[in-house]
Amino acid sequence: MLVGGLGLGAGLLAGCQREMAPGGQADNIIQSKAPTSATQPVTTGRNLSSGRYREVDIVIMRPAGVTGPLPVCVALHSDRLTLAKSFLEYGLPDMLTKVVQDGSAPFAVVAVDGGNWVGYKDDDPQRMLFQDLPGWLDYHDLASTPFSVLGISEGGAGALNMARTPGLSAVAVISPKLFDNWTDAQASDMFDDGQKQWEQREPLRHMAEFATQKLGVWCGTEDRAFIGPARRLAENTKAVEAAFTPGGHDEAYWKSVLPQALKFVGSVL
């Protein structure tokens, strides 16, 4: 259920709960407590992120027919122009249900609005993932520490940066936007804070930090800008699963391989 922001009047907040998140961050959660039920496998809400200094959408996707607490895979959307709800458009809830019905241990997929996943000084989605997300997950009766992260395009770079902090069991990246050199990175407009930011946040420059993770890599062979870096990522980290099949850097390809990525994520449980 989606509820508005901090400035809403009492009338608009009627019937909604404001509960204390772990760490005393009461202002970070303003939404109705959504029941976990087989008839409502998707829950949406809107939270205030102290890491991003703005409100963001959160989309919680559970396999149909599964109730109770679940482990969590975080899903990072493709770029700053898309949002967490894009995973609903891709059909991820049905894909997740099918993966579980086919034998995977059940888990939830949780997406949040991230903007530019490499972050800015005053708007850092990575800070949100570590600072805000655990309380939001706990509020929804989910495991507060995710076991996995899945990212698409710029979200793939964000997923690899998240994996640089130990604790994840699996990382799945689809068409990750990776850059071998500053010239290409600068042309992408991802690194608005300059070359130093690229050096700090470019996954290809820090592969040793997540080389021990169970990593899955998917990229389309017609994705000319990123197929080479994706192959190097898979080779240098000895990815557990790597698939390079026909497709471009587009939603059609992402939809085609998302079921494989979800199956890979579920296989580590």
Side-chain angles (χ1 to χ4, degrees):
M1 181 174 181
L2 190 150
V3 180
L6 288 172
L8 291 177
L12 290 177
L13 287 174
C16 295
Q17 298 181 14
R18 181 168 178 162
E19 298 189 2
M20 184 70 73
Q25 299 173 348
D27 288 341
N28 282 14
I29 299 176
I30 303 181
Q31 56 195 354
S32 291
K33 185 70 170 179
T36 302
S37 71
T39 59
Q40 293 184 347
V42 176
T43 303
T44 63
R46 193 157 180 83
N47 297 337
L48 176 64
S49 169
S50 59
R52 296 200 60 207
Y53 299 99
R54 65 185 66 198
E55 290 183 351
V56 299
D57 282 343
I58 181 171
V59 180
I60 298 168
M61 295 160 277
R62 303 171 184 263
V66 179
T67 60
L70 290 171
V72 171
C73 171
V74 180
L76 310 186
H77 56 77
S78 59
D79 56 48
R80 72 189 78 184
L81 299 180
T82 56
L83 299 171
K85 290 180 180 178
S86 63
F87 287 100
L88 300 179
E89 298 170 5
Y90 300 159
L92 191 146
D94 288 340
M95 297 175 187
L96 176 61
T97 294
K98 181 68 164 56
V99 165
V100 172
Q101 289 175 343
D102 287 346
S104 170
F107 61 96
V109 177
V110 177
V112 287
D113 291 344
N116 181 2
W117 287 110
V118 300
Y120 308 108
K121 293 178 181 178
D122 296 324
D123 181 5
D124 189 350
Q126 292 288 329
R127 187 166 63 237
M128 172 185 68
L129 293 174
F130 290 102
Q131 183 170 294
D132 301 321
L133 184 60
W136 299 344
L137 296 178
D138 182 70
Y139 180 84
H140 285 280
D141 299 323
L142 297 168
S144 59
T145 301
F147 78 95
S148 177
V149 60
L150 180 158
I152 297 174
S153 188
E154 289 183 21
L160 291 165
N161 271 294
M162 184 177 179
R164 291 169 62 185
T165 298
L168 295 174
S169 299
V171 183
V173 293
I174 299 173
S175 307
K177 267 193 176 182
L178 306 174
F179 301 96
D180 290 310
N181 58 77
W182 169 238
T183 300
D184 291 343
Q186 186 177 28
S188 75
D189 294 327
M190 279 178 62
F191 302 93
D192 292 347
D193 287 339
Q195 184 172 355
K196 184 176 179 180
Q197 183 192 33
W198 170 71
E199 292 171 351
Q200 293 173 340
R201 293 289 178 95
E202 172 53 55
L204 291 181
R205 298 177 64 87
H206 301 277
M207 286 187 283
E209 296 181 33
F210 52 81
T212 58
Q213 304 277 4
K214 290 184 178 179
L215 177 64
V217 183
W218 290 261
C219 192
T221 52
E222 282 75 56
D223 189 350
R224 296 181 180 178
F226 301 110
I227 182 66
R231 289 184 187 277
R232 284 189 285 280
L233 171 72
E235 292 169 2
N236 291 341
T237 61
K238 296 180 172 58
V240 174
E241 186 166 343
F244 305 105
T245 53
H249 199 88
D250 52 47
E251 292 183 3
Y253 176 75
W254 301 338
K255 291 177 184 178
S256 72
V257 298
L258 262 172
Q260 300 173 37
L262 291 172
K263 183 178 179 180
F264 166 76
V265 166
S267 71
V268 307
L269 290 173

